[in-house]
Amino acid sequence: MARLNSTADLRRIITEPRPATRSKILDALDEQSIEFLKRCPFALVGTTAEDGTIEVSPKGDEPGFIRVEDPKTLLIPERVGNNLAFGLTNVLTNGKIGMIALVPATGETLRISGTAEIYDDADLVASLSSLGKPALLAMRVRIQHCYFHCARSIVRAKLWDPKAWPAPGRISFGKIIAPRIGESAEVAAQIDANVESAYTTRLWQNS
């Protein structure tokens, strides 16, 4: 198997898209995109660090949490989380952003790329409240390109087919963290209990 070293190598295997396919790439949201975002409760947001490292952060909230200011501009609320803030730091570093928005039971996904800025304006974060809780910050995204991705990957994965889902599982953060800080299995169990509490009784509090 040979390694590909150029776009010419790539295009020998994956041919150029048809003009009709390229025509779906827009520079602003259309009516379908806006309606899709009104129903969207979850998105994956990609950013790039100064050293080129790529981070992808999950963002989830009530449907419509990604607010459309206008066809070229989005507002995304920042909620409480793990405080690592990799994505936010990257936005402050270079402002580049890409995202994929998903709607449950819908095969198509919405891809958006552009630039972003972060705001802490009191009125703005209050306007992005959820269940009475204002956003910590607001990210304003200026859209450069957006388009719907076809449903093939979702269909192949059977992502929205409950009959194809594996049994529910849970990651043990305790098993990851405790050995790395020189702690015992008892501390690992305490960490897992704390995580469970964050999912249930402290969903709106910082970890």
Side-chain angles (χ1 to χ4, degrees):
M1 180 181 293
R3 174 181 173 180
L4 305 189
N5 295 302
S6 68
T7 54
D9 292 341
L10 175 66
R11 288 303 180 186
R12 279 198 294 271
I13 299 170
I14 300 177
T15 58
E16 292 286 348
R18 294 186 294 271
T21 301
R22 289 190 183 277
S23 71
K24 73 177 181 177
I25 302 175
L26 309 177
D27 63 2
L29 299 173
D30 62 4
E31 183 178 351
Q32 287 193 94
S33 303
I34 293 171
E35 289 302 313
F36 186 91
L37 289 173
K38 287 179 180 178
R39 298 188 294 122
C40 170
F42 183 79
L44 297 167
V45 178
T47 57
T48 307
E50 194 169 17
D51 65 0
T53 301
I54 296 172
E55 295 287 343
V56 180
S57 302
K59 302 293 182 184
D61 216 317
E62 296 176 308
F65 78 101
I66 300 174
R67 180 185 299 172
V68 178
E69 271 198 316
D70 60 59
K72 292 280 292 182
T73 314
L74 303 175
L75 285 173
I76 303 176
E78 180 66 22
R79 307 292 185 201
V80 295
N82 58 25
N83 294 343
L84 290 172
F86 290 146
L88 296 173
T89 300
N90 292 346
V91 167
L92 292 172
T93 299
N94 63 39
K96 295 179 181 179
I97 194 168
M99 56 188 290
I100 297 180
L102 296 92
V103 172
T106 298
E108 291 76 21
T109 55
L110 180 60
R111 297 176 61 158
I112 296 170
S113 60
T115 60
E117 304 158 337
I118 300 170
Y119 296 85
D120 66 353
D121 177 80
D123 291 337
L124 186 58
V125 297
S127 74
L128 295 169
S129 294
S130 179
L131 301 178
K133 304 288 185 180
L136 295 178
L137 298 166
M139 183 184 299
R140 179 172 277 123
V141 177
R142 313 284 186 182
I143 296 171
Q144 294 174 334
H145 298 104
C146 59
Y147 62 97
F148 281 108
H149 200 109
C150 79
R152 289 183 186 180
S153 61
I154 301 294
V155 172
R156 285 193 291 256
K158 300 180 180 179
L159 188 62
W160 305 129
D161 180 3
K163 296 189 295 295
W165 294 348
R170 178 63 61 82
I171 300 301
S172 171
F173 286 99
K175 290 182 179 179
I176 299 170
I177 296 170
R180 287 161 178 78
I181 60 174
E183 291 292 351
S184 63
E186 181 180 10
V187 171
Q190 292 172 352
I191 291 171
D192 286 337
N194 186 59
V195 170
E196 182 64 26
S197 174
Y199 292 163
T200 54
T201 62
R202 297 186 293 108
L203 192 59
W204 299 97
Q205 300 174 26
N206 267 319
S207 299

